[in-house]
Structure formats: structure tokens, C-alpha cells
Amino acid sequence: MPTFDSEEAARHHRDLHSHLPSDPALRVKTLESLAVERGLVAPESVDAWVEAYSEHVGPKRGAQVVARAWVDPAFRARLLENAAEAIKDFGFQGGATGHLKAVENTGDQHNIVVCTLCSCYPFAILGMSPAWYKSAEYRARTVREPRAVLREFGVDLPENVGVRVWDSTAELRYLVIPQRPAGTEGWSEEALAAIVTRNSMIGTERDLKTEAA
């Protein structure tokens, strides 16, 4: 007669669940399966959207724009004059970037972006907005005490550096061009883009790390 080993059963149970996706992932998969089954969407369309947001849209697009601005003064000038038009060089134009404005960090100026009314965000070049960007606390405090908010993100600005807060709307969204780190002269656009972060293009990060390249 076979015996029941509770420890062995528990081990198998843990092993099985370690390979299962999280509950939210299971719910998404279920919804996807139902939509496909009912002919509402094609599986290849879902795969294409997932790849677009995970591999292409994300902050990678914005990072390419910033890197080009760092190495190409003519492009930088066009970007600051009319960002929505300039990013057409990359084919990144879309509904979320139709009224895009680029603002540039300098040695004595720092820019930070918020959307006080909702959570307008240039997702076509920065991907999906982070949860904190949509939070009521970030939206309210950034306009009242931007230096305090920046300190919480690890950005402690000296008093001689001014802070400008840009309030996004459905008609106007912003891209912060961070300062190019010292010691990156001669780097390729690809290497430069690799060190540009999403937060630096929102303005909650200032000093980029160069180890990534």
C-alpha cells in the first residue's frame, strides 16, 4: 500500500506554484484567451503589441532622441524648437506626441514633469507611465515642493540650481533632456542611449551613471 509523504507533497506543491505566473498575469492571460476565442483579437496582434511596448516603445525611444540631441547640435536645436516635428526623424510621432515639448537641463536649471489634473504622459516615446507618476501625492506635491520631492528620488539640488515644474496636459506633453555626463565624449549614439533612464526624461533623476555603457 503506498504511503503519503506530506513533506514530499508540500515540496511538489511549492515547485508547481513556483512555475505559475502571478495572479494578475493569470487574469490577463485568461482575458487574452477569451478575446482570441471570441474573435475579438488575433493572437499575432497581441504578440505585436507586447513586443512593441516591451522592446521598442518603452523609454528606449526617448533615450534614442536624447542621445541624438547630445551628439547632433542641429537636431538638438530642432528638438528644442519643435519636438513633435523633430522626432519624426525616428518615426515616433503619434497621438501622445503630437504636441510634445522638449526642455533641457543645464548646470543651473533642472526640469521636472508632472500632470496635476490626471496623468498625461508621452507614452509613445517613454512607454507606460510609472505608478508613482499617477499618484495623487506626486501630482500635488511636485508643484508645491519640487525640491522635497526630488530629494526623495535622490536628487539633492544645490540652491544655485533652479527648478522648473512643467504641467502636462492632453494637448501638451514634455520630454526632459538630461545633461550629458562628463567623460562620454566620443561615445556612439547607441552607447549614450543605454545610459539614459526613464526617470531622467521625467526629471526625477539628474546625474546619469556611465557604468551601463
Side-chain angles (χ1 to χ4, degrees):
M1 180 178 179
T3 60
F4 177 75
D5 187 332
S6 61
E7 291 187 3
E8 182 69 8
R11 186 183 68 79
H12 282 296
H13 182 79
R14 289 193 299 271
D15 184 63
L16 174 63
H17 278 268
S18 69
H19 295 290
L20 290 174
S22 64
D23 284 348
L26 282 172
R27 290 196 292 270
V28 170
K29 188 63 180 176
T30 300
L31 290 171
E32 178 187 335
S33 299
L34 288 171
V36 170
E37 180 182 326
R38 297 180 182 182
L40 299 175
V41 65
E44 54 270 24
S45 297
V46 175
D47 293 340
W49 276 106
V50 170
E51 180 182 356
Y53 275 88
S54 63
E55 301 299 326
H56 304 296
V57 176
K60 296 179 182 179
R61 285 185 167 188
Q64 291 178 51
V65 173
V66 170
R68 177 70 57 82
W70 283 346
V71 301
D72 185 339
F75 174 78
R76 172 182 162 276
R78 289 195 295 119
L79 184 67
L80 291 171
E81 181 179 356
N82 188 336
E85 190 66 28
I87 64 171
K88 290 182 180 180
D89 288 7
F90 297 87
F92 293 164
Q93 65 271 22
T97 55
H99 301 281
L100 183 70
K101 178 178 178 63
V103 293
E104 184 179 34
N105 283 351
T106 65
D108 57 9
Q109 179 74 47
H110 184 81
N111 300 281
I112 183 171
V113 180
V114 67
C115 179
T116 55
L117 292 178
C118 51
S119 54
C120 291
Y121 187 80
F123 60 83
I125 56 171
L126 294 188
M128 304 307 294
S129 59
W132 53 260
Y133 183 84
K134 296 175 281 189
S135 71
E137 182 180 16
Y138 176 80
R139 287 157 45 200
R141 291 184 58 221
T142 299
V143 294
R144 295 200 315 264
E145 46 182 6
R147 289 181 182 273
V149 171
L150 285 167
R151 278 194 295 271
E152 291 171 15
F153 279 94
V155 180
D156 195 0
L157 295 173
E159 288 301 320
N160 66 324
V161 176
V163 180
R164 183 159 188 184
V165 180
W166 300 89
D167 192 357
S168 289
T169 67
E171 290 77 31
L172 185 58
R173 304 181 186 195
Y174 296 93
L175 170 70
V176 175
I177 306 174
Q179 285 184 284
R180 180 174 179 172
T184 59
E185 297 77 9
W187 284 23
S188 67
E189 278 189 43
E190 183 179 5
L192 289 168
I195 64 172
V196 179
T197 65
R198 176 200 64 197
N199 284 12
S200 71
M201 293 181 284
I202 298 174
T204 54
E205 183 178 355
R206 182 168 173 86
D207 298 319
L208 296 173
K209 298 177 177 61
T210 58
E211 292 82 357

